[in-house]
Amino acid sequence: MAFFVRRGVAVCAVMVLVAVSGCGESGPTAAEAGETLKNHITELMRKGQVLDVRITDSGGRDISCGEGKAKRTFAAAGRDPASERGGDNLNDLLLGALSRVAPYRIVEDRGDAPIKLANDEYKTILILESPGGGQYAVRGETECLRTS
């Protein structure tokens, strides 16, 4: 009977360790969120009908945040057929297209500055920072997340 008690205690101890190690580890890794970020920005440019899209930051690497966490980045730029459109108008067009890509909430919008948006589920942040003159620009980053 002593064997069964020890075995039961060992099983319970392992179960407790598994349960505790899972605490705070939910959600995507930096690499997973980085792929989502890339997909969201690429799809945003497509849905926004941006022309001549070029990747200005291909991301794909961990940027250390300390404490075993990292973030990823990605950015793209392109042009609008109407070269006279200003940055605010272009950002507004992207904001409208973003509603067809993923649910982001506005974190910061001061009118003449870039628009910062966040998606809490995917742990991604987008910055719509079109400079004007018909030139679109979007960059993004993930939150600081676990690497594995």
Side-chain angles (χ1 to χ4, degrees):
M1 180 173 251
F3 172 74
F4 292 111
V5 170
R6 281 189 223 143
R7 182 175 172 203
V9 169
V11 169
C12 287
V14 169
M15 291 177 70
V16 168
L17 285 174
V18 169
V20 170
S21 68
C23 291
E25 297 297 322
S26 63
T29 63
E32 292 166 341
E35 276 303 306
T36 299
L37 177 68
K38 179 181 176 179
N39 291 338
H40 285 177
I41 291 176
T42 303
E43 186 68 6
L44 172 60
M45 297 304 244
R46 191 177 74 72
K47 296 271 189 196
Q49 299 178 353
V50 177
L51 304 174
D52 303 325
V53 174
R54 64 191 184 289
I55 305 307
T56 57
D57 175 4
S58 60
R61 60 181 162 65
D62 287 345
I63 299 168
S64 178
C65 299
E67 300 181 14
K69 293 189 176 188
K71 66 181 177 178
R72 297 259 176 129
T73 61
F74 187 82
R79 69 175 183 84
D80 188 81
S83 63
E84 70 279 355
R85 285 195 182 148
D88 286 343
N89 290 338
L90 296 170
N91 287 340
D92 288 344
L93 290 170
L94 287 174
L95 190 58
L98 185 60
S99 67
R100 293 179 284 144
V101 175
Y104 278 81
R105 64 181 169 79
I106 296 175
V107 175
E108 189 176 304
D109 181 9
R110 295 179 292 193
D112 61 346
I115 302 171
K116 185 176 183 178
L117 306 124
N119 180 298
D120 297 324
E121 178 183 357
Y122 298 112
K123 309 296 185 199
T124 52
I125 299 163
L126 295 181
I127 296 122
L128 309 180
E129 55 184 8
S130 302
Q135 297 300 308
Y136 287 102
V138 180
R139 67 182 164 92
E141 63 184 37
T142 69
E143 294 178 13
C144 287
L145 302 167
R146 61 191 168 87
T147 57
S148 60

PDB file of all heavy atoms in Angstrom, residues 3 18 25 40 46-47 56 64 69 72 86-87 89 93 138-139:
ATOM      1  N   PHE A   3       3.521   1.740  -1.626  1.00  0.00           N
ATOM      2  CA  PHE A   3       3.920   2.000  -3.005  1.00  0.00           C
ATOM      3  C   PHE A   3       2.872   2.852  -3.717  1.00  0.00           C
ATOM      4  O   PHE A   3       3.185   3.794  -4.402  1.00  0.00           O
ATOM      5  CB  PHE A   3       4.136   0.673  -3.738  1.00  0.00           C
ATOM      6  CG  PHE A   3       4.357   0.873  -5.218  1.00  0.00           C
ATOM      7  CD1 PHE A   3       5.553   1.362  -5.684  1.00  0.00           C
ATOM      8  CD2 PHE A   3       3.354   0.582  -6.133  1.00  0.00           C
ATOM      9  CE1 PHE A   3       5.757   1.551  -7.042  1.00  0.00           C
ATOM     10  CE2 PHE A   3       3.558   0.767  -7.478  1.00  0.00           C
ATOM     11  CZ  PHE A   3       4.762   1.247  -7.928  1.00  0.00           C
ATOM     12  N   VAL A  18       2.970  20.790 -13.698  1.00  0.00           N
ATOM     13  CA  VAL A  18       2.460  21.085 -15.028  1.00  0.00           C
ATOM     14  C   VAL A  18       1.481  22.250 -14.964  1.00  0.00           C
ATOM     15  O   VAL A  18       1.542  23.179 -15.766  1.00  0.00           O
ATOM     16  CB  VAL A  18       1.802  19.838 -15.660  1.00  0.00           C
ATOM     17  CG1 VAL A  18       1.028  20.204 -16.913  1.00  0.00           C
ATOM     18  CG2 VAL A  18       2.851  18.788 -15.959  1.00  0.00           C
ATOM     19  N   GLU A  25       1.597  31.565 -19.259  1.00  0.00           N
ATOM     20  CA  GLU A  25       2.222  31.171 -20.515  1.00  0.00           C
ATOM     21  C   GLU A  25       1.195  31.038 -21.643  1.00  0.00           C
ATOM     22  O   GLU A  25       1.491  30.452 -22.658  1.00  0.00           O
ATOM     23  CB  GLU A  25       2.980  29.845 -20.344  1.00  0.00           C
ATOM     24  CG  GLU A  25       4.125  29.907 -19.366  1.00  0.00           C
ATOM     25  CD  GLU A  25       5.227  30.857 -19.799  1.00  0.00           C
ATOM     26  OE1 GLU A  25       5.535  30.927 -21.008  1.00  0.00           O
ATOM     27  OE2 GLU A  25       5.776  31.534 -18.925  1.00  0.00           O
ATOM     28  N   HIS A  40      -1.286  40.412 -41.075  1.00  0.00           N
ATOM     29  CA  HIS A  40      -2.210  41.537 -40.934  1.00  0.00           C
ATOM     30  C   HIS A  40      -1.762  42.722 -41.789  1.00  0.00           C
ATOM     31  O   HIS A  40      -2.580  43.338 -42.479  1.00  0.00           O
ATOM     32  CB  HIS A  40      -2.335  41.961 -39.469  1.00  0.00           C
ATOM     33  CG  HIS A  40      -3.156  41.036 -38.647  1.00  0.00           C
ATOM     34  ND1 HIS A  40      -3.344  41.207 -37.297  1.00  0.00           N
ATOM     35  CD2 HIS A  40      -3.859  39.918 -38.965  1.00  0.00           C
ATOM     36  CE1 HIS A  40      -4.116  40.247 -36.823  1.00  0.00           C
ATOM     37  NE2 HIS A  40      -4.438  39.447 -37.819  1.00  0.00           N
ATOM     38  N   ARG A  46      -3.260  44.868 -49.076  1.00  0.00           N
ATOM     39  CA  ARG A  46      -4.073  44.306 -50.161  1.00  0.00           C
ATOM     40  C   ARG A  46      -5.499  44.857 -50.122  1.00  0.00           C
ATOM     41  O   ARG A  46      -6.020  45.334 -51.122  1.00  0.00           O
ATOM     42  CB  ARG A  46      -4.090  42.778 -50.073  1.00  0.00           C
ATOM     43  CG  ARG A  46      -4.677  42.094 -51.313  1.00  0.00           C
ATOM     44  CD  ARG A  46      -4.618  40.587 -51.225  1.00  0.00           C
ATOM     45  NE  ARG A  46      -5.593  40.033 -50.305  1.00  0.00           N
ATOM     46  CZ  ARG A  46      -6.915  39.983 -50.514  1.00  0.00           C
ATOM     47  NH1 ARG A  46      -7.417  40.477 -51.623  1.00  0.00           N
ATOM     48  NH2 ARG A  46      -7.722  39.453 -49.628  1.00  0.00           N
ATOM     49  N   LYS A  47      -6.111  44.819 -48.936  1.00  0.00           N
ATOM     50  CA  LYS A  47      -7.494  45.313 -48.794  1.00  0.00           C
ATOM     51  C   LYS A  47      -7.573  46.819 -49.027  1.00  0.00           C
ATOM     52  O   LYS A  47      -8.581  47.330 -49.488  1.00  0.00           O
ATOM     53  CB  LYS A  47      -8.048  44.997 -47.403  1.00  0.00           C
ATOM     54  CG  LYS A  47      -8.180  43.533 -47.100  1.00  0.00           C
ATOM     55  CD  LYS A  47      -9.487  42.997 -47.503  1.00  0.00           C
ATOM     56  CE  LYS A  47      -9.629  41.578 -46.962  1.00  0.00           C
ATOM     57  NZ  LYS A  47     -10.671  40.855 -47.594  1.00  0.00           N
ATOM     58  N   THR A  56       9.524  47.134 -45.942  1.00  0.00           N
ATOM     59  CA  THR A  56      10.603  47.994 -45.449  1.00  0.00           C
ATOM     60  C   THR A  56      11.272  47.423 -44.201  1.00  0.00           C
ATOM     61  O   THR A  56      12.354  47.869 -43.828  1.00  0.00           O
ATOM     62  CB  THR A  56      10.084  49.411 -45.165  1.00  0.00           C
ATOM     63  OG1 THR A  56       8.997  49.334 -44.231  1.00  0.00           O
ATOM     64  CG2 THR A  56       9.599  50.073 -46.458  1.00  0.00           C
ATOM     65  N   SER A  64      15.193  41.220 -28.241  1.00  0.00           N
ATOM     66  CA  SER A  64      15.098  40.929 -26.814  1.00  0.00           C
ATOM     67  C   SER A  64      14.441  42.061 -26.033  1.00  0.00           C
ATOM     68  O   SER A  64      14.730  43.234 -26.242  1.00  0.00           O
ATOM     69  CB  SER A  64      16.491  40.663 -26.241  1.00  0.00           C
ATOM     70  OG  SER A  64      16.396  40.422 -24.845  1.00  0.00           O
ATOM     71  N   LYS A  69      12.011  37.245 -22.832  1.00  0.00           N
ATOM     72  CA  LYS A  69      10.936  37.633 -23.743  1.00  0.00           C
ATOM     73  C   LYS A  69      11.511  38.407 -24.914  1.00  0.00           C
ATOM     74  O   LYS A  69      12.609  38.949 -24.854  1.00  0.00           O
ATOM     75  CB  LYS A  69       9.897  38.470 -23.010  1.00  0.00           C
ATOM     76  CG  LYS A  69       9.153  37.666 -21.962  1.00  0.00           C
ATOM     77  CD  LYS A  69       7.989  38.431 -21.413  1.00  0.00           C
ATOM     78  CE  LYS A  69       7.219  37.535 -20.449  1.00  0.00           C
ATOM     79  NZ  LYS A  69       5.983  38.149 -20.035  1.00  0.00           N
ATOM     80  N   ARG A  72       8.747  41.013 -32.122  1.00  0.00           N
ATOM     81  CA  ARG A  72       9.055  40.959 -33.548  1.00  0.00           C
ATOM     82  C   ARG A  72       8.472  42.199 -34.214  1.00  0.00           C
ATOM     83  O   ARG A  72       7.511  42.789 -33.718  1.00  0.00           O
ATOM     84  CB  ARG A  72       8.447  39.708 -34.189  1.00  0.00           C
ATOM     85  CG  ARG A  72       8.970  38.382 -33.656  1.00  0.00           C
ATOM     86  CD  ARG A  72       9.987  37.814 -34.596  1.00  0.00           C
ATOM     87  NE  ARG A  72      10.593  36.591 -34.091  1.00  0.00           N
ATOM     88  CZ  ARG A  72      10.682  35.478 -34.793  1.00  0.00           C
ATOM     89  NH1 ARG A  72      10.154  35.399 -36.005  1.00  0.00           N
ATOM     90  NH2 ARG A  72      11.297  34.430 -34.284  1.00  0.00           N
ATOM     91  N   GLY A  86      -2.997  63.506 -48.567  1.00  0.00           N
ATOM     92  CA  GLY A  86      -2.140  63.724 -47.409  1.00  0.00           C
ATOM     93  C   GLY A  86      -2.083  62.512 -46.499  1.00  0.00           C
ATOM     94  O   GLY A  86      -2.862  61.561 -46.636  1.00  0.00           O
ATOM     95  N   GLY A  87      -1.159  62.559 -45.552  1.00  0.00           N
ATOM     96  CA  GLY A  87      -0.940  61.446 -44.627  1.00  0.00           C
ATOM     97  C   GLY A  87      -2.164  61.073 -43.816  1.00  0.00           C
ATOM     98  O   GLY A  87      -2.467  59.886 -43.654  1.00  0.00           O
ATOM     99  N   ASN A  89      -5.335  61.501 -44.554  1.00  0.00           N
ATOM    100  CA  ASN A  89      -6.320  60.851 -45.431  1.00  0.00           C
ATOM    101  C   ASN A  89      -5.920  59.411 -45.733  1.00  0.00           C
ATOM    102  O   ASN A  89      -6.756  58.509 -45.728  1.00  0.00           O
ATOM    103  CB  ASN A  89      -6.476  61.621 -46.742  1.00  0.00           C
ATOM    104  CG  ASN A  89      -7.163  62.956 -46.550  1.00  0.00           C
ATOM    105  OD1 ASN A  89      -7.877  63.167 -45.576  1.00  0.00           O
ATOM    106  ND2 ASN A  89      -6.922  63.875 -47.465  1.00  0.00           N
ATOM    107  N   LEU A  93      -7.858  55.933 -44.729  1.00  0.00           N
ATOM    108  CA  LEU A  93      -8.211  54.880 -45.686  1.00  0.00           C
ATOM    109  C   LEU A  93      -7.735  53.520 -45.187  1.00  0.00           C
ATOM    110  O   LEU A  93      -8.457  52.522 -45.279  1.00  0.00           O
ATOM    111  CB  LEU A  93      -7.620  55.187 -47.061  1.00  0.00           C
ATOM    112  CG  LEU A  93      -8.252  56.359 -47.815  1.00  0.00           C
ATOM    113  CD1 LEU A  93      -7.421  56.699 -49.049  1.00  0.00           C
ATOM    114  CD2 LEU A  93      -9.684  56.036 -48.205  1.00  0.00           C
ATOM    115  N   VAL A 138       3.101  51.645 -43.074  1.00  0.00           N
ATOM    116  CA  VAL A 138       2.568  50.931 -41.916  1.00  0.00           C
ATOM    117  C   VAL A 138       3.715  50.146 -41.291  1.00  0.00           C
ATOM    118  O   VAL A 138       4.466  49.478 -42.004  1.00  0.00           O
ATOM    119  CB  VAL A 138       1.461  49.926 -42.308  1.00  0.00           C
ATOM    120  CG1 VAL A 138       0.934  49.194 -41.083  1.00  0.00           C
ATOM    121  CG2 VAL A 138       0.343  50.606 -43.042  1.00  0.00           C
ATOM    122  N   ARG A 139       3.840  50.249 -39.996  1.00  0.00           N
ATOM    123  CA  ARG A 139       4.807  49.406 -39.297  1.00  0.00           C
ATOM    124  C   ARG A 139       4.105  48.782 -38.115  1.00  0.00           C
ATOM    125  O   ARG A 139       3.068  49.267 -37.660  1.00  0.00           O
ATOM    126  CB  ARG A 139       6.053  50.176 -38.886  1.00  0.00           C
ATOM    127  CG  ARG A 139       5.854  51.221 -37.846  1.00  0.00           C
ATOM    128  CD  ARG A 139       7.174  51.958 -37.565  1.00  0.00           C
ATOM    129  NE  ARG A 139       6.912  53.182 -36.859  1.00  0.00           N
ATOM    130  CZ  ARG A 139       6.903  53.296 -35.545  1.00  0.00           C
ATOM    131  NH1 ARG A 139       7.158  52.238 -34.786  1.00  0.00           N
ATOM    132  NH2 ARG A 139       6.641  54.453 -34.966  1.00  0.00           N
TER     133      ARG A 139
END
